[in-house]
Each structure stands twice: as structure tokens, then as C-alpha cells.
Amino acid sequence: VYREWAPAAQEAQVIGDFNGWIGSNHRMEKNEFGVWSINIPDSGGNPAIHHNSRVKFRFKHGDGVWVDRIPAWIRYATVDPTNLQPYDGVYWDPPPPERYQFNYPRPPKPQAPRIYEAHVGMSSSEPRINTYREFADDVLRRI
């Protein structure tokens, strides 16, 4: 299942290497919130969109112009400078033997949040700009 929010689009399709960049067989449906969706089932136990294949979200503007975009939820993109639209989204779902195997276990979750940045002026609980002195006295000791 693939979803994309495009409330102003008139039509939408998923295109890519898997369908020869022809979206007429992969038209999406729009719900009342402007979210387009499509269910692309596996074929014979194999994924319909193969790992490392290029994909795009194609939609039609109100003026009738079709536009291709990289899907919002894509995990990997490539650049082809010889193409008029040089960026492609790449579907990333490697088979289990090719997936990265972590060498070490995940570290334990910290007991307290880790604060790496604080804004002095915005640190007041009141609707005003805080001073350095107030920040040092009220906020810094908690960090």
C-alpha cells in the first residue's frame, strides 16, 4: 500500500521501472482528506516493485499538467544528470540476506532526555525573552 497527500491533485499514479513508467495501470484513489492511495499486490510471491528499482509519484494539476515527484516516504534517491528530471526515488527493501546486520546490540535507552541544544531567549515559561542570568539560574541546572 502506498499513500501520498496531495489534496489539490486531480489524478494520481505510481510510476517507475516496475510498470515501464506508464501509470495508467496504477491509478490511485483519493479519500476525503486529500490522501491518494493504491494497493499494489505481490506477484507470484515476488514483490511487485523490486528492491533498488526507481519510482515516482505522478499527479495532475488543476490546469491539466502532469508532474512527477519523488515519493515523500522514499528512503533512497539517486541523481541522473543526463535526465531532464534528474532525481529518482529508489524503492529500498533488500532481501533478508542483503540487509545490514548490526554488530552490536542496541544501547540501553537513557533514563533522562539528552538535551543537545537550548535557546536562551525562548527558555522562559512566561511570554517574553529570557535573560542569560535567568537561563543560568532556572534552566541550565536542569540540563
Side-chain angles (χ1 to χ4, degrees), residues 115-131:
I115 299 172
Y116 63 92
E117 181 177 339
H119 192 288
V120 174
M122 295 173 54
S123 65
S124 175
S125 59
E126 299 169 17
R128 62 181 181 79
I129 298 172
N130 222 7
T131 67

Side-chain angles (χ1 to χ4, degrees), residues 19-114:
N19 63 6
W21 299 91
I22 300 170
S24 57
N25 290 334
H26 293 94
R27 291 191 169 118
M28 301 174 76
E29 295 181 10
K30 184 179 180 181
N31 72 11
E32 67 272 20
F33 304 107
V35 176
W36 293 86
S37 64
I38 187 170
N39 182 3
I40 305 174
D42 291 347
S43 176
N46 295 318
I49 302 176
H50 296 284
H51 166 64
N52 222 14
S53 62
R54 299 174 300 151
V55 293
K56 285 194 177 180
F57 171 63
R58 175 175 282 170
F59 62 96
K60 187 179 188 180
H61 278 284
D63 60 3
V65 176
W66 286 92
V67 178
D68 296 349
R69 295 283 187 252
I70 295 174
W73 303 106
I74 205 75
R75 294 181 178 188
Y76 180 57
T78 60
V79 178
D80 179 4
T82 64
N83 192 340
L84 289 175
Q85 293 184 341
Y87 297 96
D88 288 315
V90 177
Y91 180 68
W92 192 260
D93 187 23
E98 294 179 26
R99 291 185 183 156
Y100 180 78
Q101 299 296 320
F102 290 93
N103 295 325
Y104 304 99
R106 172 171 259 162
K109 188 174 182 178
Q111 297 295 319
R114 296 185 180 192

